[in-house]
């Protein structure tokens, strides 16, 4: 009986230890740690309350003109929820005012201002009075605009809103439903891969003198170097031979030196992108890729013109098109004289081709096109690099877009976790 009793007590002791100590210990060590999320704060995180701040300096010939300009700018921007301006009002020093009134060229006047004020600082902009202007407002490539007098304040505000600060584009970057600009440009990323593909469907019928590597380095490389503060870029060029594509082009008689041209419908061109992707697929990078493709049209189908849905030629000096978030394509046709030679050979216009691709890259990366404003003029680009204020606008666009994306991600996560908790 003693041995039997000891066994019973041992079993009871084991069960007691198991339930009294083991079970709570197991429960504690295997429980899922749950953090209470600040749902109220997440729900109140409204992107409309997050405006980008920018510095604006107004320099006028006298205090009265400066006051008119500043008050008009403040009135127009006070209700903006995408950008807040810290405005500084100054009167031009006498020596600088006299110089600006006597200098004939606007770019020389910009250099005079740059000698007195720092135009290289990001997210700053200078509005300076210059009486000899031929228009109300002149916008330079630097972070500076000239205005003629206080009467130009309305035009100046339009220039600031549409060109410099691009308020409507900033507002569109925060919408839940992407606008046209956001649907076109590439999503933000740390690094992009840019590939120039030269498509030569019939190399035996036309010799082509085009150095794709040099073109990418000299034009695209110089352009993306200016965007290094936003993204890193890797560049590549390649030739794709014997990639023939049936454009289903229709021959149309005309009065050109060819006596005809071939018309291709715009809708048909989207299928060309599929063929390009098939050939480039083995070399695709893991990075987001911006594609630019030069299609060398054979002599048998040159010149090739793009027609719209109304069966009318597209009004453009070049035959090119873009595909949102993919890239751009240019159709390059040799001349009649080149094709009529005993040994057909063509030397494509590098500046025309790369200028077209640069315009497409600007749009795909988020640099807005310049719309006309009566009484205002913007200095044309003199090099491949973007204007300084365009870089600032792109930085603001990326900042606003990232804030909006973070807000949407947090709200979705909070809703998902809240629904999960409710189900449990």
């Amino acid at each position: 009986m003693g041995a039997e009793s000891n066994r019973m007590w041992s079993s009871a002791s084991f069960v007691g230890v198991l339930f009294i100590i083991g079970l709570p210990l197991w429960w504690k060590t295997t429980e899922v740690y749950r953090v209470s999320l600040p749902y109220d704060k997440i729900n109140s995180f409204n992107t409309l309350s997050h405006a980008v701040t920018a510095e604006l300096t107004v320099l006028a010939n006298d205090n009265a003109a400066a006051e008119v300009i500043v008050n008009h700018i403040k009135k127009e921007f006070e209700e903006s929820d995408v950008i807040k301006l810290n405005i500084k009002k100054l009167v031009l020093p006498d020596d600088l005012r006299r110089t600006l009134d006597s200098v004939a060229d606007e770019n020389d006047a910009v250099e005079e201002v740059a000698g007195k004020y720092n135009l290289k600082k990001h997210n700053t902009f200078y509005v300076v009075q210059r009486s000899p202007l031929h228009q109300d407002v002149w916008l330079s490539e630097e972070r500076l605009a000239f205005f003629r007098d206080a009467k130009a304040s309305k035009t100046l505000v339009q220039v600031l809103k549409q060109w410099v600060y691009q308020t409507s584009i900033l507002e569109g970057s925060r919408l839940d439903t992407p606008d046209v600009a956001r649907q076109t440009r590439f999503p933000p990323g740390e690094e992009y891969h840019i590939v120039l593909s030269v498509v030569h469907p019939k190399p035996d019928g036309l010799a082509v003198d085009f150095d794709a590597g040099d073109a990418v380095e000299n034009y695209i490389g110089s352009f993306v170097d200016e965007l290094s503060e936003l993204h890193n870029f890797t560049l590549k060029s390649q030739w794709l031979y014997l990639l023939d594509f049936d454009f289903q082009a229709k021959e149309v008689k005309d009065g050109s030196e060819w006596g005809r041209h071939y018309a291709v419908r715009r809708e048909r061109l989207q299928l060309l992108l599929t063929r390009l992707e098939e050939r480039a697929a083995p070399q695709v990078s893991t990075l987001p890729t911006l594609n630019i493709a030069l299609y060398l049209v054979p002599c048998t189908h040159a010149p090739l013109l793009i027609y719209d849905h109304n069966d009318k030629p597209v009004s453009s000096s070049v035959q090119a098109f873009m595909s949102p978030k993919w890239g751009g394509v240019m159709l390059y046709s040799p001349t009649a004289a080149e094709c009529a030679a005993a040994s057909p050979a063509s030397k494509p216009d590098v500046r025309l081709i790369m200028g077209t691709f640069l315009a497409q890259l600007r749009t795909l990366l988020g640099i807005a096109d310049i719309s006309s404003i009566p009484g205002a003029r913007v200095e044309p680009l003199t090099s491949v690099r973007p204007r300084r204020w365009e870089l600032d606008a792109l930085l603001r666009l990326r900042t606003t877009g990232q804030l909006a994306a973070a807000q949407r991600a947090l709200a979705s996560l909070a809703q998902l976790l809240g629904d999960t908790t409710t189900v449990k």
Side-chain angles (χ1 to χ4, degrees):
M1 289 293 295
E4 184 68 22
S5 176
N6 288 338
R7 282 197 298 272
M8 291 180 61
W9 279 108
S10 296
S11 299
S13 300
F14 176 78
V15 172
V17 170
L18 180 64
F19 280 95
I20 296 173
I21 300 176
L23 188 60
L25 183 62
W26 169 82
W27 182 266
K28 185 65 177 175
T29 55
T30 58
E31 71 173 338
V32 177
Y33 180 66
R34 297 185 181 275
V35 178
S36 178
L37 292 178
Y39 292 105
D40 293 339
K41 291 183 178 180
I42 292 175
N43 292 331
S44 65
F45 186 77
N46 191 339
T47 54
L48 297 180
S49 64
H50 298 279
V52 178
T53 302
E55 304 291 330
L56 176 65
T57 301
V58 176
L59 290 155
N61 292 345
D62 53 64
N63 192 65
E67 191 72 24
V68 171
I69 296 295
V70 168
N71 288 341
H72 197 166
I73 294 174
K74 284 183 176 179
K75 180 181 178 181
E76 292 295 327
F77 279 85
E78 64 182 356
E79 295 184 1
S80 174
D81 52 25
V82 290
I83 191 160
K84 299 298 180 185
L85 298 180
N86 288 335
I87 304 177
K88 185 185 297 184
K89 180 184 68 175
L90 298 174
V91 175
L92 278 168
D94 290 339
D95 58 338
L96 181 57
R97 177 180 56 79
R98 287 191 294 268
T99 300
L100 294 180
D101 288 345
S102 60
V103 172
D105 184 69
E106 265 72 44
N107 287 305
D108 291 339
V110 171
E111 292 183 7
E112 295 294 336
V113 176
K116 297 280 187 179
Y117 301 94
N118 183 12
L119 303 183
K120 296 182 178 180
K121 185 179 178 183
H122 280 296
N123 207 29
T124 61
F125 196 79
Y126 288 81
V127 171
V128 182
Q129 185 171 358
R130 175 169 148 78
S131 301
L133 276 183
H134 299 296
Q135 53 276 320
D136 289 340
V137 179
W138 180 85
L139 180 58
S140 72
E141 292 189 70
E142 303 297 327
R143 298 176 175 92
L144 179 145
F146 289 127
F147 68 94
R148 185 163 48 195
D149 50 37
K151 296 178 181 178
S153 62
K154 183 178 179 180
T155 305
L156 179 59
V157 167
Q158 283 185 283
V159 168
L160 293 176
K161 277 192 167 185
Q162 294 182 32
W163 292 352
V164 178
Y165 296 116
Q166 301 173 6
T167 54
S168 62
I169 296 177
L170 289 179
E171 290 166 357
S173 69
R174 302 189 310 188
L175 297 175
D176 292 335
T177 303
D179 58 4
V180 175
R182 202 162 104 212
Q183 290 174 355
T184 302
R185 65 176 174 263
F186 267 64
E190 292 184 6
E191 190 169 357
Y192 293 109
H193 195 52
I194 299 180
V195 180
L196 168 61
S197 300
V198 183
V199 184
H200 198 354
K202 294 184 179 180
D204 56 337
L206 180 70
V208 177
D209 181 9
F210 182 75
D211 193 327
D214 280 353
V216 167
E217 186 64 31
N218 295 335
Y219 288 87
I220 307 299
S222 300
F223 170 71
V224 299
D225 282 347
E226 298 294 326
L227 304 178
S228 58
E229 295 185 0
L230 276 167
H231 314 285
N232 293 320
F233 294 89
T234 57
L235 308 178
K236 180 182 177 181
S237 63
Q238 61 181 356
W239 284 76
L240 301 177
Y241 294 102
L242 304 176
L243 191 154
D244 202 1
F245 177 73
D246 182 10
F247 286 99
Q248 296 182 357
K250 180 177 67 175
E251 185 177 357
V252 180
K253 300 297 182 181
D254 61 21
S256 67
E257 57 181 342
W258 289 89
R260 49 93 175 126
H261 66 265
Y262 287 90
V264 57
R265 295 289 297 271
R266 187 195 294 270
E267 310 87 73
R268 181 71 183 166
L269 295 174
Q270 295 300 319
L271 299 177
L272 175 61
L273 304 182
T274 304
R275 292 281 287 120
L276 291 174
E277 288 182 339
E278 289 173 357
R279 284 290 298 272
Q283 306 167 43
V284 166
S285 169
T286 56
L287 301 173
T289 301
L290 287 88
N291 299 279
I292 47 178
L294 173 65
Y295 189 95
L296 302 170
V297 180
C299 289
T300 53
H301 286 84
L304 189 64
L305 302 186
I306 301 174
Y307 273 52
D308 60 22
H309 63 279
N310 294 319
D311 280 335
K312 299 293 183 182
V314 174
S315 178
S316 174
S317 58
V318 295
Q319 302 302 306
F321 67 98
M322 280 195 311
S323 179
K325 298 183 180 179
W326 185 89
V329 177
M330 179 177 178
L331 307 176
Y332 189 87
S333 297
T335 65
E338 290 172 338
C339 289
S343 298
S346 176
K347 187 172 183 177
D349 187 339
V350 178
R351 293 189 65 180
L352 175 66
I353 292 169
M354 300 312 295
T356 301
F357 287 144
L358 283 172
Q360 292 175 337
L361 285 175
R362 284 168 59 89
T363 301
L364 291 167
L365 289 171
I367 299 177
D369 293 332
I370 303 297
S371 57
S372 62
I373 297 176
R377 178 177 178 269
V378 61
E379 179 68 7
L381 288 168
T382 56
S383 66
V384 299
R385 72 175 178 85
R387 301 174 179 93
R388 299 299 181 188
W389 51 267
E390 287 180 325
L391 292 176
D392 290 345
L394 191 54
L395 280 166
R396 287 189 289 267
L397 176 62
R398 293 302 193 196
T399 301
T400 305
Q402 294 284 48
L403 275 172
Q407 188 271 337
R408 286 192 292 269
L410 281 173
S412 298
L413 180 62
Q415 182 179 5
L416 176 64
L417 294 176
D419 292 344
T420 305
T421 303
T422 303
V423 170
K424 289 186 176 182

